[in-house]
Amino acid sequence: MAESAELPSRLAILPFRNKVLLPGAIIRIRCTSPSSVKLVEQELWHKEEKGLIGVLPVRDTEAASVGSMIAPGMGSDSGERSLKGKADVGEFENQDAKNEQELMHWHHSGVAARALHLSRGVEKPSGRVTYIVVLEGLCRFNVQELSARGAYYVARISHLDLTKSEMEQAEQDPDLVLLSRQFKATAMELIAVLEQKQKTVGRTKVLLETVPVHRLADIFVASFEISFEEQLSMLDSVDLKVRVSKATELVERHLQSIHVTEKITQKVEGQLSKSQKEFLLRLQMRAIKEELGDNDDDEDDLAALERKMQRAGMPPNIWKHAQRELRRLKKMQPHQPGYGSSHGYLEILVDLPWQKVSEEPELDLKVAKENLDRDHYGLVKVKQRIIEYLAVRKLKPDVRGPVLCFVGPPGVGKTSLASSVAAALNRKFVRISLGGVKDEADIRGHRRTYIGSMPGCLIDGLKRVAVSNPVMLLDEIDKTGSDVRGDPASALLEVLDPEQNKTFNDHYLNVPFDLSKVIFVATANRIQPISPPLLDRMEVIELPGYTPDEKLNIAMKHLIPRVLDQHGLSSELLQIPEGMVMLIIQRYTREAGVRNLERNLAALARAAAVKVAEQDSTMQLSKDVHPMTTSFLDTRLADGADVEMEVIPMSINRQEISNSFTNALVMLVDEAMLEKVLGPPRFDDSETADRLATPGVSVGLVWTSFGGEVQFVEATAMMGKGDLHLTGQLGDVIKESAQIALTWVRARAADLKLSATGEINLLKNQDIHIHFPAGAVPKDGPSAGVTLVTSLVSLLSQRKVRADTAMTGEMTLRGLVLPVSGIKDKVLAAHRYGIKRVILPERNLKDLTEVPSAVLHGMEILLVKRIEDVLEQAFEGGFPWKQHSKL
């Protein structure tokens, strides 16, 4: 092997396309292009054993690369390197003319090679000859200059490898000694593994004992199939420690691949030995079918299905049922009508998670509480109940706990709370939407006798998550219906009963499936539509609407960051102050949740996105910034460049540059932008005062599926026969409440000083018309009784009701005020409308404990027992009563 001192200062260069020759490696190359043939004839043919050339890696122009030198290409040859190998390469006979118009990427370093053998091929009819060259890599060099010599290239080079004295000094380095030992140990392990398969590794073991480690590193790596980039990395590793370290890593990777291959082979051989008899019998059966002309590929499909059945982990009784179905399927022909349904049935059976469960780590209640506080603002009692639920499961994991049912208006976080329960338990989460479900088969599945039958949504959900213990959300459970096809709510009775769901029977499966490991969570907007037996199986947790302060915190902590992320913005591009968010809450939204608030924030983000996208990217930083007038780039690069550059003087402060960009791009939302993007305010605090400016109008509080709402009641009198007219799409209950209110007012007309004493007919020659605005919305319920009385008394007495007062409560014919439901939502609705006084039945005092203290602090709650108390509080200065009046 040649020493570094024997290298000349110039070498003829043979390009090596997409491959690398390393020192110590031996390759066999077939030279066919005119340039390579000319190089061999002039540099090697007459020097055979002493001829030296440089082998330089060349990258295809299609590859993304940055070469140290760029020169017109020529036909290049390639080959494969090995310890002692040979490889033929494709011919590039017609490539010279093509490559004259292309650029080749030459690597900055290469390897000097010595010709070990040369042979000349038979001349072809075209007159061209071929040479076969066996080269041995000697040492690395760096290209200083590349120039043409006729048809091929010659490079002025500099030697990269260490001299003999430098090598002796480097070998004393403790780190290199340690790396060398590690490399040899790994290489010996690889050789020991290869000895069991190959008989030619004896020479490699001799090399390991005689050749220096830095040379061994190149030789070993040259024998591996690695990427071109890894080959170049090894070629550029001039430092011995880096070279040995990379070689050790590649040897270890090759050794691991051999181990994995052996493991797979052993496993396959073991399986074949077990089923060899069955395999031979199936081959014989296939041969018989071929002779009969009845051959098909369904046998392989059934064999794969049977293997999946064996791995499914079915209980014994289910396994027997599946085996019986499989035997029936094997006897059928694919064109028979029941073949597809039977095959699909078995596919679903094997895909179900009979035994597979999610592994649950030890539950950390502190972390769960932190996650709930991070993801959900407010809802203190709800989160406390979830923590209690998780605490019980931590102490007794197999407990059959209650089914939690989150009830509340839309947009208050019911679904996300269920997802948080799944995250706290480290279980998979699956959502089953029950809204609009009217068919019992959607829950229990269709029987297989029907065409297009399929399992129910519960079994399908378990199949999707592939575990038998997920957290399953039964969403919108209050919106199930019933018709002639059955009642889905009744089918859910078995699902939610811990004593029955361990043997849940889906009509499609027709075998019991254990649902006892599933944690069920339900959501609903209202309790009333849920059937009492189903409601009895669930623990109801009510989620009220949010207060304005809670909405503000939710917007700042959760909604705004999410909206900015969804629209590709950041807080540096769009800033929405707290004051503007509160204006959106007060003037543009009146809801229990935060969905409309998020929509309005998204509208602001879209408007900002348009401005950012249209922003001119060229900005004037300062008067000292001047465009470049002269190019300092190479002419060849500048011709193809499309770059506009500016020279920024060193005197310009970085902070000044940053502020210039920031001030140009940042958008701050103000009231003007709100009105421009969202339009004029939709709600006004003066609405209540304006509508109560005339007698006959009162303000009531009602509960809807969207939370509490304020309901105005308007009454007017006109010439007529004493009839009562009711409008506003009212239900029977509220119509009866109106009739009761009118009867009470007529009976107490004298006491209320609405008519002279002894007058019999208060409504003589006049009719009363009562209207509930928002006529498109159905209304019903008894809680408008006190509001109706107040409206009638205001009309007949021509006194205006206080604009800051709202009320709710059922009344009796004798004037008693009875308690109603939904107090928390109603008080929150009054707070949203800016109402300061709320009249409630005295027996609803206990319900005020659920109302946030921040809301109660700014309101006056007036508790009443009788209608007289309501009228006393509803009018300014009280109501004039006739002294010592009797019922």
Side-chain angles (χ1 to χ4, degrees):
M1 194 172 294
E3 298 294 332
S4 60
E6 299 175 358
L7 278 182
S9 61
R10 287 182 175 272
L11 282 177
I13 298 300
L14 177 66
F16 207 14
R17 186 178 298 274
N18 291 331
K19 294 185 181 297
V20 175
L21 172 65
L22 292 175
I26 299 176
I27 59 171
R28 180 178 180 269
I29 299 180
R30 174 179 296 174
C31 300
T32 58
S33 63
S35 58
S36 59
V37 168
K38 199 69 173 177
L39 183 148
V40 171
E41 289 177 347
Q42 294 187 5
E43 300 291 337
L44 300 178
W45 184 249
H46 299 293
K47 303 179 182 179
E48 193 164 346
E49 293 295 331
K50 297 181 181 180
L52 292 176
I53 62 173
V55 179
L56 200 62
V58 175
R59 189 189 303 271
D60 285 338
T61 56
E62 294 82 5
S65 171
V66 179
S68 297
M69 302 179 194
I70 300 179
M74 57 182 166
S76 64
D77 300 273
S78 69
E80 296 183 359
R81 66 256 177 290
S82 63
L83 288 173
K84 182 181 179 183
K86 57 183 179 179
D88 293 336
V89 297
E91 296 184 357
F92 296 87
E93 296 177 354
N94 300 321
Q95 202 166 347
D96 287 9
K98 177 182 177 181
N99 285 342
E100 288 178 0
Q101 307 300 326
E102 295 181 354
L103 294 179
M104 286 194 338
H105 296 273
W106 298 69
H107 198 59
H108 58 81
S109 59
V111 172
R114 178 176 58 192
L116 299 180
H117 177 74
L118 291 173
S119 61
R120 182 170 179 174
V122 180
E123 293 189 6
K124 295 185 179 181
S126 61
R128 302 181 66 178
V129 297
T130 62
Y131 287 92
I132 296 177
V133 185
V134 178
L135 296 175
E136 177 188 13
L138 299 181
C139 58
R140 292 171 172 81
F141 64 81
N142 188 43
V143 177
Q144 301 295 325
E145 182 182 1
L146 189 66
S147 58
R149 178 186 290 176
Y152 57 92
Y153 279 73
V154 177
R156 183 167 59 85
I157 64 172
S158 61
H159 191 259
L160 289 179
D161 287 346
L162 302 179
T163 62
K164 184 175 181 180
S165 59
E166 292 174 343
M167 184 68 67
E168 292 175 352
Q169 184 177 357
E171 289 175 350
Q172 304 300 321
D173 188 349
D175 293 338
L176 181 59
V177 173
L178 183 61
L179 288 172
S180 300
R181 292 175 181 173
Q182 183 180 359
F183 172 80
K184 286 189 175 182
T186 308
M188 285 298 295
E189 185 178 355
L190 176 62
I191 291 173
V193 172
L194 294 177
E195 276 184 343
Q196 303 173 4
K197 300 182 177 182
Q198 304 176 8
K199 298 181 180 180
T200 59
V201 296
R203 294 183 58 190
T204 307
K205 186 181 293 187
V206 173
L207 288 175
L208 194 62
E209 297 173 354
T210 57
V211 178
V213 175
H214 66 277
R215 186 67 67 185
L216 277 175
D218 289 330
I219 295 174
F220 267 80
V221 172
S223 65
F224 298 153
E225 288 293 335
I226 58 177
S227 66
F228 182 57
E229 300 295 335
E230 290 176 319
Q231 296 177 37
L232 290 178
S233 177
M234 193 66 186
L235 176 64
D236 294 338
S237 300
V238 179
D239 186 88
L240 298 184
K241 290 187 287 186
V242 175
R243 189 189 310 174
V244 175
S245 177
K246 288 183 179 180
T248 304
E249 180 183 349
L250 292 171
V251 172
E252 288 178 348
R253 190 173 71 186
H254 190 67
L255 185 61
Q256 289 176 0
S257 66
I258 293 176
H259 286 322
V260 172
T261 304
E262 288 179 347
K263 186 176 181 180
I264 295 174
T265 303
Q266 292 174 359
K267 186 175 181 180
V268 172
E269 289 177 352
Q271 292 177 350
L272 289 176
S273 62
K274 289 182 180 180
S275 57
Q276 186 175 9
K277 181 179 178 180
E278 181 180 353
F279 177 73
L280 292 175
L281 290 174
R282 291 190 180 279
L283 285 178
Q284 293 175 2
M285 185 182 298
R286 183 176 298 176
I288 293 173
K289 287 186 176 182
E290 288 178 354
E291 292 295 328
L292 295 176
D294 193 23
N295 185 36
D296 53 52
D297 296 330
D298 291 287
E299 183 180 356
D300 295 336
D301 189 22
L302 294 180
L305 183 60
E306 187 172 8
R307 288 193 297 271
K308 291 174 65 177
M309 287 172 53
Q310 294 171 353
R311 298 192 298 264
M314 302 178 186
N317 58 328
I318 312 298
W319 170 254
K320 292 180 182 178
H321 175 79
Q323 284 282 49
R324 185 167 59 252
E325 189 71 23
L326 181 62
R327 287 194 298 269
R328 175 174 171 270
L329 184 63
K330 288 180 178 179
K331 296 176 184 178
M332 299 172 64
Q333 295 299 324
H335 58 270
Q336 288 184 271
Y339 184 88
S341 63
S342 295
H343 191 280
Y345 173 72
L346 287 175
E347 285 281 358
I348 291 178
L349 275 184
V350 299
D351 289 340
L352 287 178
W354 299 96
Q355 302 293 338
K356 187 177 180 181
V357 296
S358 299
E359 295 184 3
E360 297 184 41
E362 185 177 357
L363 187 60
D364 191 337
L365 291 181
K366 184 178 180 181
V367 174
K369 188 175 185 304
E370 291 175 354
N371 292 338
L372 285 173
D373 291 336
R374 184 187 67 243
D375 298 337
H376 306 276
Y377 184 84
L379 306 175
V380 177
K381 291 186 177 180
V382 177
K383 291 189 288 189
Q384 181 59 33
R385 180 61 188 89
I386 293 176
I387 293 297
E388 293 170 357
Y389 178 82
L390 297 177
V392 174
R393 296 202 66 88
K394 179 178 181 180
L395 299 178
K396 190 174 176 59
D398 57 345
V399 65
R400 295 179 181 178
V403 177
L404 302 181
C405 180
F406 299 123
V407 178
V412 295
K414 300 184 295 295
T415 303
S416 59
L417 278 173
S419 178
S420 297
V421 172
L425 293 172
N426 194 33
R427 293 194 182 191
K428 291 188 176 181
F429 179 74
V430 57
R431 175 180 169 271
I432 306 296
S433 179
L434 299 179
V437 173
K438 295 183 179 180
D439 191 352
E440 180 187 357
D442 289 336
I443 305 298
R444 290 188 177 275
H446 301 80
R447 299 188 184 276
R448 292 174 57 202
T449 54
Y450 296 103
I451 297 176
S453 58
M454 62 184 70
C457 57
L458 302 178
I459 296 298
D460 183 66
L462 292 174
K463 177 173 172 281
R464 279 186 281 131
V465 296
V467 290
S468 61
N469 65 337
V471 173
M472 183 173 289
L473 173 65
L474 304 177
D475 204 10
E476 309 292 354
I477 198 172
D478 59 325
K479 295 178 177 59
T480 58
S482 60
D483 55 16
V484 294
R485 294 172 293 180
D487 184 7
S490 300
L492 288 173
L493 294 177
E494 179 187 359
V495 175
L496 301 182
D497 192 338
E499 300 298 330
Q500 300 180 37
N501 61 14
K502 58 185 176 182
T503 56
F504 173 71
N505 189 13
D506 186 275
H507 288 162
Y508 181 83
L509 297 182
N510 202 27
V511 291
F513 192 91
D514 186 6
L515 295 179
S516 61
K517 300 176 184 176
V518 179
I519 295 179
F520 290 100
V521 180
T523 66
N525 294 130
R526 297 187 299 157
I527 298 177
Q528 287 77 10
I530 305 175
S531 63
L534 183 59
L535 190 63
D536 182 62
R537 283 166 167 76
M538 301 184 294
E539 178 182 346
V540 175
I541 300 177
E542 294 188 357
L543 278 72
Y546 295 113
T547 64
D549 290 337
E550 290 175 337
K551 291 182 181 180
L552 177 62
N553 281 279
I554 292 172
M556 301 306 296
K557 294 181 179 179
H558 300 283
L559 300 184
I560 292 178
R562 183 167 66 196
V563 167
L564 293 179
D565 180 67
Q566 291 173 350
H567 293 80
L569 301 173
S570 66
S571 58
E572 298 177 353
L573 297 176
L574 177 64
Q575 295 180 4
I576 308 178
E578 291 187 4
M580 295 300 102
V581 176
M582 184 56 74
L583 284 180
I584 296 175
I585 295 172
Q586 294 174 346
R587 299 181 181 179
Y588 293 91
T589 65
R590 276 184 180 170
E591 56 177 345
V594 291
R595 286 184 179 167
N596 285 329
L597 175 58
E598 185 174 5
R599 293 188 184 103
N600 286 314
L601 294 174
L604 294 174
R606 290 193 297 271
V610 172
K611 291 188 177 181
V612 172
E614 294 176 348
Q615 186 76 32
D616 187 4
S617 59
T618 304
M619 301 177 187
Q620 186 67 28
L621 298 179
S622 113
K623 62 182 181 180
D624 296 327
V625 178
H626 306 286
M628 175 180 290
T629 56
T630 58
S631 173
F632 58 86
L633 300 178
D634 185 80
T635 304
R636 289 173 296 175
L637 179 60
D639 291 340
D642 187 14
V643 180
E644 181 181 352
M645 303 185 65
E646 293 180 345
V647 178
I648 301 176
M650 295 299 294
S651 60
I652 301 299
N653 194 336
R654 292 185 179 181
Q655 189 63 35
E656 179 184 348
I657 298 174
S658 177
N659 292 339
S660 298
F661 278 90
T662 303
N663 295 334
L665 292 177
V666 68
M667 294 182 61
L668 184 66
V669 176
D670 53 13
E671 290 192 41
M673 183 176 179
L674 284 183
E675 292 199 12
K676 181 178 180 181
V677 177
L678 304 181
R682 302 188 187 113
F683 306 101
D684 191 353
D685 292 341
S686 62
E687 177 185 4
T688 305
D690 294 341
R691 299 184 72 166
L692 293 178
T694 58
V697 182
S698 60
V699 182
L701 297 174
V702 297
W703 186 91
T704 70
S705 59
F706 299 95
E709 288 292 340
V710 167
Q711 176 66 59
F712 293 92
V713 176
E714 301 174 350
T716 188
M718 56 190 173
M719 297 297 293
K721 301 178 182 180
D723 295 334
L724 175 65
H725 304 277
L726 299 172
T727 54
Q729 199 172 164
L730 308 179
D732 292 337
V733 177
I734 202 168
K735 289 179 180 178
E736 292 175 356
S737 297
Q739 190 64 55
I740 293 171
L742 180 60
T743 301
W744 186 89
V745 171
R746 294 178 67 180
R748 300 299 302 275
D751 296 333
L752 297 173
K753 297 184 179 181
L754 302 177
S755 64
T757 305
E759 185 175 342
I760 299 175
N761 192 359
L762 176 65
L763 301 181
K764 185 178 181 179
N765 298 325
Q766 65 177 346
D767 291 349
I768 298 294
H769 187 171
I770 300 177
H771 176 64
F772 288 73
V777 180
K779 308 170 190 69
D780 203 0
S783 63
V786 297
T787 313
L788 287 164
V789 171
T790 305
S791 179
L792 289 172
V793 172
S794 172
L795 171 67
L796 297 174
S797 66
Q798 289 299 301
R799 296 188 61 185
K800 293 184 289 185
V801 179
R802 292 185 58 159
D804 61 347
T805 304
M807 61 199 73
T808 183
E810 180 183 358
M811 66 166 292
T812 68
L813 198 59
R814 309 298 293 177
L816 296 176
V817 179
L818 302 182
V820 292
S821 60
I823 294 298
K824 183 177 183 179
D825 292 315
K826 293 177 180 179
V827 173
L828 290 177
H831 185 266
R832 287 199 301 271
Y833 274 77
I835 294 173
K836 302 300 182 182
R837 304 169 77 244
V838 177
I839 300 175
L840 299 176
E842 187 178 60
R843 291 167 61 183
N844 282 122
L845 175 63
K846 62 183 184 300
D847 299 317
L848 292 177
T849 58
E850 299 179 3
V851 181
S853 58
V855 174
L856 293 177
H857 182 71
M859 302 183 71
E860 182 182 359
I861 306 297
L862 306 170
L863 302 176
V864 297
K865 289 184 178 180
R866 299 185 55 82
I867 290 294
E868 292 86 344
D869 301 332
V870 175
L871 297 177
E872 185 70 23
Q873 301 294 342
F875 293 92
E876 191 72 41
F879 197 85
W881 297 98
K882 183 177 179 181
Q883 298 296 323
H884 309 295
S885 62
K886 297 180 181 180
L887 288 176

